[in-house]
Amino acid sequence: MASTENPTPASRGSKNLGKHLGKARAAFDGLRSHGGFWLKALSQPTIDLSLRTQAGQRTRIVESPGLSLPRDELDALVEQLRIVAAKTLPEESLTYGIFSGEPERLSRAVVTLISEEDTGRPIAFNALSVMDVPLDGEPAEVTHLGLVMVDPDVRGQGLSWVLYGLTALVLFARDGLRPKWISNVTQVPAVVGMVSDTFSDVFPSPLPGARQSFAHLQLARGIMARHRAVFGVGEEAGFDEARSVITNAYTGGSDALKKTFEIAPKHRNAVYNEFCARELDYTRGDDVLQIGRIDLAGARRYIMSEVPSGSLPSLLAASAMLALQRLVLPVVYWMDDSRAFGTLRPRKQDSGAAR
């Protein structure tokens, strides 16, 4: 009589087959979910996506909520952001940018919100802003990396790859993988390092080769002249152009975010901590204004170093990036004569066409 504690080879084979089928089904479901995510990201005129980024958590990305969402849904979204902010800064309140709840302020924002899958409780968010800034006499778009807040109860759970890079990657892919300018205002060494490591051509940065081009300077001047309200910097704040440092920065509604160097989260690479200690006056309340670009090299670095390893979709995405860079992308750019890329210019438009 066969013992129930020692299954026959046939029964063990059946169990192993079932286990492999279960894993294959889970991988297929994950691939289908990520595939649907990217198809929506590339096809929607205004992004509103939801994706299961890790076990028990869902991430929603909403572009221009001030324009795309009805008022009741917009109010509900802002309330979710305030819930996270209240857990992060229980003694303070923020009044600038997205926290105002004004549709106009939220019309140029891109909100990334992470919530618990079972309860719907919001636990972290990032609020990007898209700014129009003149560059070489032409309008240019700069994506400001914006404010990041994480509920203290879930810190250390590996959320940074979603909050700091996923949305920028989505916008980059949706725009045909054309390089996009990004900006970042912070006094936190960990964030200074993340931006320097992830994006391309970043200034200021302590990394070798970092330099301020005339494009960096133009964009920084335009941001400080037109968009201080995006990151809560008052008119009385100064700007050191040579170092791209905002002096006395916490005067425009962002006062509660001011930190001492001792409590500001540090980067694992001490060079960024030393850079911030040297360049910023934390008593006065200084910030660096970093300008950089997301391009194929930066996207590849982000996918390979920030996205959790072992993720099948991330590996597929990395392969796709390499294939696009080597084979497909030059053809796409050559065939698309409606937009500029590098030295390539769009064909002339009719005199009556809008620019």
Side-chain angles (χ1 to χ4, degrees), residues 25-224:
R25 189 178 298 109
F28 176 76
D29 289 343
L31 182 58
R32 183 175 59 182
S33 172
H34 283 75
F37 175 84
W38 285 106
L39 285 174
K40 287 182 180 179
L42 295 170
S43 62
Q44 286 180 341
T46 302
I47 295 171
D48 190 349
L49 301 169
S50 180
L51 177 69
R52 191 172 190 262
T53 43
Q54 61 188 57
Q57 295 174 0
R58 290 200 72 82
T59 297
R60 184 186 181 190
I61 301 175
V62 189
E63 183 182 15
S64 304
L67 297 175
S68 62
L69 297 182
R71 185 68 210 210
D72 58 337
E73 293 185 25
L74 179 64
D75 291 343
L77 178 64
V78 172
E79 182 57 29
Q80 289 180 304
L81 304 181
R82 288 174 176 159
I83 289 172
V84 179
K87 288 293 295 290
T88 308
L89 299 169
E91 304 295 328
E92 307 284 353
S93 62
L94 299 174
T95 58
Y96 75 97
I98 58 169
F99 295 107
S100 68
E102 299 173 6
E104 182 181 354
R105 292 287 180 89
L106 287 154
S107 64
R108 300 286 287 176
V110 185
V111 175
T112 304
L113 177 67
I114 304 177
S115 303
E116 290 180 343
E117 198 165 26
D118 293 336
T119 65
R121 181 175 75 95
I123 57 175
F125 72 82
N126 181 18
L128 281 69
S129 294
V130 180
M131 305 179 294
D132 290 323
V133 184
L135 178 63
D136 295 333
E138 298 287 339
E141 276 194 354
V142 178
T143 301
H144 184 67
L145 296 184
L147 178 65
V148 171
M149 285 192 167
V150 180
D151 187 323
D153 295 341
V154 298
R155 287 177 185 166
Q157 293 189 11
L159 303 181
S160 60
W161 74 274
V162 177
L163 295 170
Y164 286 108
L166 180 61
T167 305
L169 185 66
V170 169
L171 296 175
F172 172 63
R174 205 267 309 266
D175 199 39
L177 304 185
R178 288 171 169 81
K180 296 178 71 68
W181 288 103
I182 60 95
S183 65
N184 176 57
V185 171
T186 190
Q187 62 176 184
V188 177
V191 178
V192 171
M194 181 280 303
V195 171
S196 299
D197 289 343
T198 301
F199 298 98
S200 299
D201 196 21
V202 174
F203 181 88
S205 166
L207 295 181
R211 68 178 189 87
Q212 184 183 47
S213 67
F214 187 49
H216 286 100
L217 182 59
Q218 289 181 79
L219 292 173
R221 286 173 174 173
I223 289 169
M224 293 302 297

Side-chain angles (χ1 to χ4, degrees), residues 290-339:
Q290 292 180 292
I291 307 289
R293 290 178 297 110
I294 180 168
D295 54 13
L296 273 171
R300 193 165 61 246
R301 280 195 303 272
Y302 165 75
I303 290 170
M304 292 181 170
S305 64
E306 299 298 328
V307 178
S309 60
S311 169
L312 178 61
S314 71
L315 294 176
L316 292 175
S319 300
M321 289 289 178
L322 292 170
L324 284 166
Q325 184 182 39
R326 294 176 179 274
L327 301 174
V328 180
L329 203 56
V331 178
V332 173
Y333 289 151
W334 180 76
M335 295 180 67
D336 183 0
D337 61 0
S338 63
R339 291 187 291 179

